[in-house]
Amino acid sequence: MSRTTRTVLPPRVFALADDLSGAAEVAAALGLRGRIVLGPATAPPRDGESVVLDLDTRQLPPADAANAVRAALAYADGGVVLKKIDSLLRGNLAAEAVAYATGARGVVIAPALPVAGRTVREGVVNLHGTALHTTDAWRAEPGAAPVSVGAALGGVPTRVVPLATVRAPEPALHDRLRAVLAEGYHPVCDAETDADLDAIAEAALRLGPGIRLMGTGGLASALGRRLAQVDQVDQVDQAAGAGAGAGLPGRDADRSTEAERRHPTGTDTPGPARADDVSPAPDGTPSRPLLVVVGTAEPTAVAQIAQLVAAGAFHVPLPAHTLTDRSTRPTLNIRTGVGRTPHGVTVVSIDGTHAVDPGAARGLAAGLAHAVAEAAYDSDLVLTGGETARRVLDALAVRELLPLDQIHHGAVRSRTADGRRVVTRPGSYGDTDSLLRIARALRPGLAPPSGQPAAPSVQPAPLGEPT
């Protein structure tokens, strides 16, 4: 078969996420050359590129969220389409799922995220082996957790594909997916391991055009592994001048090398930038401050901040009422005023002394962004919580990020157009040393917490390989 007639996997990936930390997580999981776009979309992905679009719909009314999904799908010009959903089934999942399924031959749904202990069995999400709806994972949400994936998807008709079928020898899974779709249902696939997700991604891609994918960063990783695997085969075939194709629609054009795909920068630089490429000031401190903005109410955030402070960071807790009241909103100057630190690392958080109303999340994030905006303009940034990350970058008029690598699972380091580093991380992710690990990746000279020996520097994980 000549090179002009053989087929390869679709050259474009277009992924949608409802918040920025989720979009970055998917970009890292895919591990493909591409961009994170802070929506709305204005153009489809270019050939050979992945685009992950942050729809910023997590806190919107359901109807508005659905409209955003429909508008974005107008730019899904061929290739693979993926809708990233929250592994705890939060957000406007029902409304967005209905909009996402409209116009598709079918949607293959796989919400498991094994790396974070989030699995699916019999159509029910389990958190470290316990059914989601029996845990307190939704403690900051206004309602109760759904009892199943199907219940979370509302009006989308679904059928569960059990784990036994997912793990059965092929073509059992592929045939089952086809049968469910033929009956007018969308398959919800059980999964407990990355191997399960690999099987689901493979079978779904073989279903052909018109099939959309819906899942977490776990499914995105499986998709990225599959695309990279076929890309390697494609390069070997090209070198040999012939070879069998992958059996899926594609294009005939030059493809990026594996190194470019797994370590994307979006520019002509050869790979990810160094973590410590900030030029130091004459006194040896980094010329660009590091600003850590913690916008999550997760209990682990307190311990994460404590470790960072013990390593020399300056902590500025801001009372919630000052963030929601425009007349009292503070501003932060980390070069000359409150928040200045000799280590160049400042962490800002919402004072958790008093309980915060879950319905105030968007207003708090906006207030937090306003408070740190002046300091953020010339700083490298660590932003936890998708709502907080988006509001801060909106305040800075940042419209695109180029993903570089993962410091740990979900903590994605990206670059802005002006060369600053931005690390985003979902609020619910990370062990107690998460913020310290991130800060030390960006500032390798940062001291360990008092009384602890210096830990060896951790090599960031290549894109698509969670740690």
Side-chain angles (χ1 to χ4, degrees), residues 15-16 22 25-27 29-30 82-89 108-116 118-120 125 191 194 197 213-223 409 429:
L16 310 178
E25 180 188 359
V26 167
L30 286 170
L82 170 70
K83 175 69 173 73
K84 192 271 182 188
I85 62 175
D86 182 68
S87 61
L88 298 178
L89 306 180
V108 177
I109 304 157
L113 185 62
V115 71
R118 298 165 190 186
T119 58
V120 178
V125 171
D194 286 341
L197 293 172
L213 305 179
M214 176 181 286
T216 66
L219 184 61
S221 289
L223 177 60
H409 176 66
Y429 282 22

Side-chain angles (χ1 to χ4, degrees), residues 151-232:
L153 295 175
V156 176
T158 61
R159 284 273 178 86
V160 174
V161 177
L163 197 60
T165 302
V166 171
R167 294 178 176 176
E170 280 292 5
L173 176 56
H174 175 262
D175 290 348
R176 181 57 183 157
L177 295 179
R178 287 180 62 89
V180 170
L181 293 169
E183 295 169 0
Y185 294 92
H186 303 278
V188 172
C189 299
D190 284 355
E192 294 183 335
T193 68
D194 286 341
D196 296 336
L197 293 172
D198 287 340
I200 294 165
E202 170 70 19
L205 288 173
R206 288 178 55 211
L207 292 170
I211 299 299
R212 295 171 184 166
L213 305 179
M214 176 181 286
T216 66
L219 184 61
S221 289
L223 177 60
R225 287 190 292 270
R226 180 64 180 127
L227 291 169
Q229 182 183 63
V230 174
D231 189 58
Q232 289 176 323

